[in-house]
Amino acid sequence: MTEASGARTSGADTYGAVEPRVPLGEARVVLAGLGVTGRSLQRVLTPRVASLVTVDDKADDADHSGLGSDGAAAVLAEADLLVASPGFAPHHPVVAAALAAGVPVWSEVELAWRLRVDRLGSEGPAEWLGITGSNGKTTTVEMLVAILRAAGLRTAAVGNVGRSLVEAALDPTLDVVAVELSSFQLHFTHTMSLEAGAVLNVSPDHLDWHGSIDAYTRDKGRIYERVRTACVYNVADRTTEDLVREADVVEGARAVGFVAGTPGPGDLGLVDDVLVDRAFHTASDDPDRRKSAAELGTLADLKQLGDQGGVVPTHIVADALAAAALARAHGVPASAVRDGLRSFGPSEHRIQRVAEADGVTYVNDSKATNTHSAAASLAGFAHGTVVWIAGGLSKGATFDELVSSRADRMRAAVVIGADPRPLADTLARHAPKIPVVVIDPGDTGTVMRRAVAAARDLAQPGDTVLLAPAGASQDQFASYAQRGEEFARVVRELTS
């Protein structure tokens, strides 16, 4: 393993002030957003601050809504701290007003970390193992939890998945938590110091929120700041290694790569069908020191995650190795990695087989919310056998590379979304011979029924109808989960 090193380049001019002028218990706090995250923040903050003012355009019980620049400036004039939910981008009037006024802006993650630090003298607190990336975060977090539990540790998936991070930070029953972190959450996270953190990959996403791929990448890299034990990166994605080199870590923290192939010294990887560790290998793994690596498991331990032909996709192997690296950084034995991976099942809304009827298989991958994850999803199927249901909010990304690289997998495509034209036009340019049905966005409540019915008519025996949208859901659905649930419900109705 090599030591991670570098200089931190982000500053107050990019991310705003960090410290309120008074302690949190005396602070007048503005809370932006009353969604699921915001409600959790509201419960935790109310008894811990001097006053709390809420801002949300959609919540009837918010103190303020529909604020423009002037209104936001007035609300922030008397504030000591703004705690912002992930939906509030830096250019939002409320956040922009705070930055202009020098009011510190904290994410949920920053608040949770501060609460954790306040508990350092009490029982606990749990260590944090963090994961970010454009794709595979949830799968890797859930794999990590399975491994930690196999080691007998009290753990939970928290952050952008599972339990609320602020509530988990106050839970004295946890030994260690697996934290899924989005680029939104990391942007206004200033003091977090993970035991170990991983960036799985970086591909264009959420450019409407961040403004550019460089800004998005920079925020992903913030997970490595102040890491204490290991910065885990993807050997196949040079950007992630560059982020480790640029990070300002605690002295002694090491760079640990993972690769779905033969690992170099200090990395985790795959030799034939065996997952191996060449980073944390110790005498306890091999008392005779006759082996050059510790065996963590085999591809057979991941067979439940294989494609229709039983082959475990490369991205699943990579996720498993990343989870293993983080667990090993926490001191988990190799045997627990194997047992955890064996026990892990497919995530809901991730390559989830829903039904089979008339020789056609229906698969829900609603969590494929960007082009990179949709490409990985399509890659798992045979050439020319997929009727692809896709579309939604592009978040500033384009579909050209996705369609041109995966057109050979498609028999046909069904395009949904409030604005289906960008994807439909891309299909016409790069896959002109593939039949395409565009679902009229009118009557949102029947969109999925019409899409599944169209896909069923296009499919032939042996095909797969695959929902892998390559876009966010909020234009026509409440969430990717609700989109996937609607797909599954309609499939079962139409194929029963």
Side-chain angles (χ1 to χ4, degrees):
M1 284 175 285
T2 59
E3 187 168 318
S5 62
R8 186 180 182 195
T9 58
S10 58
D13 59 332
T14 303
Y15 300 102
V18 174
E19 299 299 332
R21 61 182 183 84
V22 296
L24 185 62
E26 302 172 16
R28 297 166 296 181
V29 179
V30 174
L31 172 60
L34 287 176
V36 175
T37 297
R39 295 295 180 185
S40 177
L41 292 169
Q42 185 180 33
R43 288 192 296 271
V44 169
L45 281 169
T46 298
R48 289 179 169 82
V49 299
S51 66
L52 184 67
V53 174
T54 59
V55 178
D56 192 297
D57 292 342
K58 298 179 180 178
D60 294 337
D61 59 339
D63 296 314
H64 299 279
S65 63
L67 292 175
S69 298
D70 292 342
V75 169
L76 270 299
E78 301 299 322
D80 300 305
L81 174 68
L82 172 66
V83 179
S85 295
F88 284 72
H91 56 267
H92 188 283
V94 173
V95 180
L99 295 173
V103 175
V105 182
W106 288 2
S107 65
E108 173 201 13
V109 179
E110 180 66 19
L111 175 64
W113 183 258
R114 301 288 184 126
L115 295 174
R116 178 192 180 277
V117 169
D118 288 345
R119 291 185 54 240
L120 284 174
S122 62
E123 182 183 355
E127 286 285 4
W128 287 18
L129 303 173
I131 297 166
T132 193
S134 300
N135 300 288
K137 295 187 293 296
T138 300
T139 297
T140 307
V141 163
E142 292 172 349
M143 283 181 171
L144 176 57
V145 166
I147 294 168
L148 295 171
R149 285 177 177 160
L153 296 167
R154 301 173 299 175
T155 187
V158 301
N160 204 36
V161 64
R163 294 181 56 182
S164 159
L165 185 50
V166 289
E167 293 175 352
L170 299 170
D171 187 345
T173 69
L174 295 172
D175 298 316
V176 57
V177 292
V179 189
E180 179 178 324
L181 295 164
S182 70
S183 55
F184 306 153
Q185 293 168 312
L186 287 164
H187 185 87
F188 288 118
T189 296
H190 311 287
T191 63
M192 178 182 71
S193 179
L194 298 174
E195 180 180 27
V199 181
L200 303 178
N201 43 62
V202 178
S203 59
D205 202 2
H206 303 299
L207 303 188
D208 52 345
W209 199 98
H210 293 277
S212 70
I213 183 62
D214 289 341
Y216 170 69
T217 302
R218 186 165 59 248
D219 282 334
K220 286 293 188 188
R222 289 170 71 80
I223 196 172
Y224 291 135
E225 297 297 326
R226 297 165 296 277
V227 160
R228 291 174 283 119
T229 299
C231 296
V232 178
Y233 69 93
N234 184 350
V235 173
D237 188 334
R238 179 60 183 271
T239 298
T240 65
E241 183 176 4
D242 290 342
L243 291 173
V244 175
R245 296 184 187 281
E246 294 165 3
D248 186 7
V249 302
V250 173
E251 185 176 356
R254 298 170 293 181
V256 178
F258 64 90
V259 59
T262 304
D267 296 341
L268 281 73
L270 185 68
V271 177
D272 295 326
D273 66 343
V274 180
L275 280 69
V276 298
D277 170 12
R278 296 190 67 189
F280 300 98
H281 181 43
T282 66
S284 63
D285 296 314
D286 175 23
D288 296 330
R289 304 295 288 165
R290 290 176 296 181
K291 300 177 182 177
S292 60
E295 180 176 329
L296 303 175
T298 68
L299 292 182
D301 298 318
L302 296 169
K303 62 183 180 181
Q304 71 278 19
L305 303 174
D307 61 20
Q308 289 177 298
V311 177
V312 181
T314 300
H315 68 276
I316 293 294
V317 177
D319 291 345
L321 290 166
L326 291 168
R328 297 285 277 166
H330 187 65
V332 166
S335 59
V337 175
R338 178 200 62 215
D339 294 343
L341 294 178
R342 284 179 179 174
S343 69
F344 179 74
S347 302
E348 195 173 15
H349 310 298
R350 173 61 83 189
I351 316 293
Q352 184 180 34
R353 188 172 300 189
V354 175
E356 184 174 342
D358 301 323
V360 176
T361 302
Y362 294 80
V363 174
N364 168 22
D365 195 7
S366 183
K367 204 171 188 305
T369 58
N370 58 44
T371 57
H372 191 276
S373 55
S377 184
L378 285 161
F381 298 91
H383 294 271
T385 64
V386 174
V387 178
W388 182 39
I389 301 178
L393 293 173
S394 65
K395 300 171 289 185
T398 60
F399 302 103
D400 294 84
E401 183 177 354
L402 165 62
V403 173
S404 61
S405 65
R406 294 292 182 264
D408 62 334
R409 308 287 167 148
M410 304 174 201
R411 180 179 301 282
V414 178
V415 181
I416 60 175
D419 183 6
R421 290 172 299 175
L423 179 54
D425 291 347
T426 304
L427 284 161
R429 286 197 303 274
H430 297 290
K433 296 181 180 180
I434 292 174
V436 175
V437 174
V438 177
I439 303 300
D440 188 326
D443 189 6
T444 299
T446 67
V447 162
M448 190 59 74
R449 174 173 289 275
R450 288 181 282 140
V452 172
R456 178 191 58 184
D457 293 342
L458 290 164
Q460 298 180 15
D463 286 350
T464 296
V465 172
L466 173 67
L467 173 67
S473 58
Q474 288 83 357
D475 57 340
Q476 293 182 313
F477 304 91
S479 64
Y480 76 80
Q482 194 254 339
R483 177 173 60 190
E485 289 161 3
E486 183 68 6
F487 172 79
R489 183 186 68 78
V490 170
V491 164
R492 293 186 181 110
E493 286 182 3
L494 294 181
T495 61
S496 61

